[in-house]
Each structure stands twice: as C-alpha cells, then as structure tokens.
Amino acid sequence: MEEKTTPAPETPGKDFIREIVEDDLRSGRHQAVATRFPPEPNGYLHIGHAKSICLNFGVAKEYGGTCNLRFDDTNPLKEDVEYVDAIEADVRWLGFEWHGMYYASDYFGRLYDFAEELIRRGKAFVCDLTADEVRATRGTLTESGRNSPYRDRPTEESLDLFRRMRAGEFADGSRTLRARIDMASPNINLRDPALYRIRKATHHRTGDAWCIYPMYDYAHALSDWIEGITHSLCTLEFEDHRPLYDWCLIALDLPNRPRQIEFARLNVTYTLLSKRKLLQLVTGGLVKGWDDPRMPTIAGLRRRGFTPEAIRDFADRIGVAKRDSLVDVALLEHCLREDLNRRAPRGMAVLDPLKVVLTNWPEGTVDELEAVNNPESPSAGTRRVTFSRELYIEKDDFREVPPPKYHRLSPGQEVRLRWGFIIRCEEVVKDPSTGEIVEIRCSYDPTSRSGGEGAARKVKGTIHWVSAAHAVPAEVRLYDRLFTKELPDDAPEGKDWLCNLNPDSLEVKAGFVEPTLSNAAAGAFFQFERLGYFSVDTDSRPGRPVFNRSVGLRDSWAKIEKKGRGA
RNA sequence: UGGGGAGUCGACAAGUGGUAAGUCAGCGGUCUUUGGAACCGCCUAUCGGAGGUUCGAAUCCUCCCUCCCCAGCCA
C-alpha cells in the first residue's frame, strides 16, 4: 500500500458512512464499493426502509459501485412471496436498480458446508438443550452464563448430529448448532449463540428441501461475504452483533471481510414504523391494507400520492448519523409539496358545495374561460373551463357574518372567481325550516372577465368554483395523521399505542371536480387550487373519479383564523 | 450493577483545535387573479454538566449526568 502524501480533500457535509467509504477507496483498501439492501420478506417496506434503500443504493451509485437486493429469508415461519413481490416493486418504484437480486436461501447449501467446517474447526457444536434450558444458562446482563454440557462433545459427534439434524431425524426445538465462543462474554450475543435451528416448515422458495435454517447473524455475515459486499450498512440495534458478524468470518478464515457499519433508524412524528404493529393494523382491519394511504409503507405513500422524488429528497435531507432522532413529519410533507408544486397540473374542485346563482347571467348560456395549468411551469399550457349561471363554491368560502380579515364572499362583498369574473353577493337564500344556507345569489361584473379590462380591479380574495351543470361528481378522500400523538407508543398506564389511533384519519367527501379531471388515470396527481395536492386513487373509474388528498396546501388563513379564535 | 452506542437552535444536521453552516417548523413582512408559490427578515444555540490542557476547544484529557440498544432456537 502506498503512503499518502497529500492531505485528504475536504468533503464537508458528507455523512460518516460516506466518509468511511471515501477513505477506503482513497486508501486502496477497496477498488470499488459493494453494498446491499437486505429486507426480510415478512412485511411491506416503509419509509424507514426507504432511508436505508436510498443510503445503500445511493452510496453505490455515487462511488461507482454496486448494490444488491437480497432477501434475508432465513425464517420460513414469517416469510411469504407476497412480500418479496411487493418489496421488489417498491424498490423499483423508488427509482433504484439492483446489481443482483439474491436470496439468503440461495446460499443454504454453502452456508451448511461452512457450518460443517466450523464444527470441524472446533468452533461450533450441536447442543441438545431446549430453548428454556438455553435461556436458563445464558446468564443475565450482569452475570455470566454457564457452558452447555454438550459444549465439549467430540467433533465427530457434533458432525454426525448436525447431519442428522439436516436429515430431519430430530424434532423442532430439540437441538441447535451453537457457536463455541464464550459463555462469560459481557456481550450476550457472544455467549455461544445459536447458528442453526430445526424448523420443519415449508420455505417459500426452497420448499421442504431444508428442515434446518441458519440464524440471522450467521447467514447475514456469510451472505455478505459471498456477494463480496464491502460495506454492510445496518441499523444501530445491530451494533453489538458486530463482534459476532466478524467472528463468523474470522472463524472460517475468510479473506476480504465486509465491514458492518451501523446508523440510526428513522423515526417520524405521528408515525409508527414497527413491522409488527403495521401488520397488526392490517390484520386487525384498522386500515384497509398495506397500501392504505394512511400507512407509512412505500405502497401506502405511493397510493397516497407521494412521488419517488419527494421520498428520495426526504432521505437526503434527514441525513445519516448515529444519534436517535425523531424527524418531523412536516419535513416529509414539505418535500412532497415542493416536488408537486413544480409538477402538478392545477385544477378546480369543490369539496363542500354551496350553490351560487349569478342573477344577471343570461339563462342557458355558457362561457369558456382560459385557465393556466401550472403557474410554475408555463410549458404546461392552458385549458378551457366552462362557466355558467349556476356554480358551486366551497361552503367555507362564504360567511354570512365574516370574521375580521376574511377575504372571501359575504353579503354585499365582492370576490373574484379564479380565471372568471368578479361577483358580488346580493342575497342569501335559506331553508325556511332549518335556517340552513342553501343558495347564494350574486351579480357578476361583465367587464371583469379574466384578462378583460375590468379584471384589473383589486379584489380582496379569489376563490375557486365549478360549474354546477358541468362539474363531475367525485369522491374525495381526506386523510389526516393516523395517530393523535407525536409518539404513538406513548400511551397512558395500562393502555397501548392503539388508543392513540386518530378516529378522524379519513374523511370522505362527495364533491365536484371540473370536467377535465373526470377521466384522469390512477396515480395522476393534481393540485386542486387552494386546497392541496390530490392523486387519483386506484378505485377511480372513468366518469366517477376518486381522489386522495396527498397533502394540503399551506394554509395561512387557517392560522389567522385560529389565532383570532384564541385571542 | 455487565456490555455496546449517543448527547450541537423546537426538529433534523454540518463542524474533526482558530473563535457555531444549512434545512424543516415557528414568527414578521414584500409580492400575488391559488390567504399557494416566490422573495426578504427574525428565530439572539457558548455546543449535556463540571474541571483541566492550550494564546485559543463543540472539537484534546478527566470525572459526572441523561437517553437508546442487548438476556429470541426473530431479523
């Protein structure tokens, strides 16, 4: 190796993992980086996995290396092909391409051979203790454990027993292959951990070919080595497994060992990222599936209307470090808004319709108004929207008694209809029996047509609308955070996280959208002016569109109003 | 009480001995046919605490405090 004579170039802002990778490349320790994303196919990927995916694939891409997708499928009891298919689709959707797609189960044969070698080297033994007995002899955090009575049985005997374990001669749980390390180690993971257990279960890929399955620590280290992984990135809870990871490779004298590096897993406010709990939400029917738009899963975020770009940007912004952190969900939402503001075509939709009749508009006539598709992007062009005598506006855009600073419609006041005319409220029609406002009668200013000379007038507010006769009924699903607490696990004594579920996380509106939105394809996204970003749900049908609110627009009026009420 | 980690603005997060970036949130304002977007300000962090080394420390040393992870034949 050459001596470095030039100082390392300054690379401020890089996270500690990229610094390590750069050092290794610079020093010649590695010619190229190889990483892997190793999900267990026992659930759907979520935003926390997205962080890891962006890291692993991102590092590989940035330094001209490779990243594999590897399914860590060593526990047939929990895993399923449904999950491998979903994971594959999610990684691809996020925008990453793997160098190779592998399964830990691809290596079962080699892993088995390595295990025999470990026995031959005196580094592993077959133990006849039951799980309970192992637990009883493991010791505690402060007391060392006791050696298994089988720890020193002859190599040949362990070898024979291990072969018979594989052959299916023994019952589940009756024996394990254990590493021979140190029952007195202060690191509990090193107290002769199990390497193989008997599980007479059908594996989703290998079927019934095996009845013994390797444990994570063993399988993971060797799978990494087999694939030539240089940097094995994982989360903090595996930090004290690293000595065992290294032990597996050293015990077999394997050269060019991969290096495990741990980083902090992602936590997001108002969000749960535990596979077990997410599974519980799904199986318990508390949400409508893994892809429920309220779920933090990649599938859920996708259906909600998140873009891969927004998620990748989020991953970039939260960074990578070792300290436990709780990221504000507002940052995720911000990333989506920023992306969609640039790219989403605008449209008008009314979610809580209130009828407006323009009394001086000639009955039976319509007008075609020109509307800009995206003020942020002139190339998006314009479209025509139909205007007529009867319109729907948002209930919230009219107040009989306007609060201070209210810029919208109220008796005697003017408001501009976006891309249309300026109107004045002349009369409020109520249902005589209920007192409910059923219709607003207004006059319009014919000279104020958008683009016309009378349109230059300053009017306090602009509101969106839809032509009653032309608008298309649409189902609009408004989502709110799934949990009412920043930390959903923070439950009072005797209760659990389920008590923090937000009962109002979904509100369905029967609204109207402008005709151009009628046949939008599932997945298409729009900004409904003044309301937020919406995407077309997979439940949508031509002429009967269904929209999901992906994220609302920032709403400074809501803040003013809230403040007014508070004062 | 064992071992492994971590503590920098409300939240993320740079900084690696030379005198505390940036982003989100929040606040105020400009502008505006989305109370959107954009733009401009503010957000006055002495860096968990106490000592010490040094001309000089968030960065080095010592002690202390707090938080997280580990006792699955789960990953």
Side-chain angles (χ1 to χ4, degrees), chain A residues 119 124-127 150-165 177 180:
Chain A
I119 296 170
F125 63 99
V126 168
C127 181
Y150 307 99
R151 194 174 203 264
D152 295 314
R153 87 160 120 213
T155 298
E156 281 311 318
E157 188 180 321
S158 275
L159 216 41
D160 174 60
L161 253 13
F162 188 51
R163 287 171 181 157
R164 289 164 61 193
M165 275 169 65
L177 178 72
R180 192 203 306 273

Side-chain angles (χ1 to χ4, degrees), chain A residues 1 7 64 153 156 179 219 384 428 515 560:
Chain A
M1 199 190 299
R153 87 160 120 213
E156 281 311 318
R384 303 212 151 257
V428 180
I560 294 170

Side-chain angles (χ1 to χ4, degrees), chain A residues 23 179 194 273 416 547:
Chain A
D23 278 351
L273 296 180
R416 187 192 302 275
F547 293 92

Side-chain angles (χ1 to χ4, degrees), chain A residues 480-495:
Chain A
D480 198 354
R481 38 191 59 141
L482 232 197
F483 295 96
T484 54
K485 286 203 165 184
E486 270 202 4
L487 297 168
D489 277 320
D490 179 22
E493 272 291 316
K495 294 196 169 187

Side-chain angles (χ1 to χ4, degrees), chain A residues 138-317:
Chain A
R138 183 156 27 226
T140 67
L141 294 179
T142 53
E143 300 165 293
S144 57
R146 283 175 282 124
N147 284 170
S148 162
Y150 307 99
R151 194 174 203 264
D152 295 314
R153 87 160 120 213
T155 298
E156 281 311 318
E157 188 180 321
S158 275
L159 216 41
D160 174 60
L161 253 13
F162 188 51
R163 287 171 181 157
R164 289 164 61 193
M165 275 169 65
R166 178 191 185 175
E169 290 186 28
F170 309 121
D172 281 15
S174 61
R175 272 177 244 261
T176 53
L177 178 72
R178 288 227 258 164
R180 192 203 306 273
I181 308 181
D182 179 9
M183 287 307 290
S185 173
N187 181 342
I188 290 180
N189 298 300
L190 263 24
R191 316 238 264 228
D192 292 3
L195 264 23
Y196 267 89
R197 78 288 217 184
I198 302 170
R199 265 220 207 323
K200 290 177 177 163
T202 302
H203 184 279
H204 66 97
R205 290 203 89 228
T206 59
D208 296 319
W210 295 87
C211 64
I212 58 171
Y213 293 91
M215 298 290 291
Y216 165 83
D217 293 288
Y218 175 76
H220 200 85
L222 290 169
S223 299
D224 280 347
W225 182 82
I226 289 169
E227 291 177 21
I229 300 304
T230 56
H231 302 267
S232 182
L233 314 180
C234 65
T235 44
L236 251 29
E237 66 269 28
F238 294 103
E239 210 147 16
D240 48 20
H241 288 240
R242 195 190 337 152
L244 179 51
Y245 180 98
D246 291 336
W247 181 91
C248 290
L249 301 168
I250 292 168
L252 288 162
D253 274 322
L254 299 174
N256 305 316
R257 274 178 277 131
R259 199 229 279 214
Q260 174 179 305
I261 305 170
E262 311 83 12
F263 62 93
R265 66 187 312 151
L266 174 67
N267 296 294
V268 181
T269 55
Y270 299 101
T271 306
L272 230 34
L273 296 180
S274 139
K275 273 194 189 176
R276 199 198 103 235
K277 288 170 187 162
L278 295 180
L279 212 206
Q280 200 175 333
L281 288 171
V282 172
T283 55
L286 298 162
V287 295
K288 289 171 187 155
W290 285 103
D291 71 341
D292 187 299
R294 292 165 295 185
M295 290 283 274
T297 50
I298 304 298
L301 292 167
R302 174 169 59 231
R303 187 163 176 190
R304 173 80 167 253
F306 272 78
T307 60
E309 289 83 351
I311 293 173
R312 279 190 250 121
D313 182 38
F314 175 70
D316 283 346
R317 292 195 195 216

Side-chain angles (χ1 to χ4, degrees), chain A residues 450-468:
Chain A
S450 191
E453 76 279 12
R457 238 166 69 217
K458 289 287 177 201
V459 177
K460 273 279 184 59
T462 299
I463 65 175
H464 60 274
W465 54 274
V466 107
S467 170

Side-chain angles (χ1 to χ4, degrees), chain A residues 335-376:
Chain A
C335 292
L336 213 218
R337 284 195 195 97
E338 192 169 82
D339 184 34
L340 260 22
N341 177 50
R342 270 192 350 257
R343 305 196 292 151
R346 314 285 123 128
M348 292 197 285
V350 172
L351 272 32
D352 285 303
L354 173 61
K355 183 176 273 189
V356 168
V357 178
L358 304 181
T359 51
N360 58 337
W361 184 275
E363 292 204 42
T365 67
V366 300
D367 197 355
E368 294 284 319
L369 303 170
E370 186 175 54
V372 171
N373 285 331
N374 186 347
E376 304 295 321

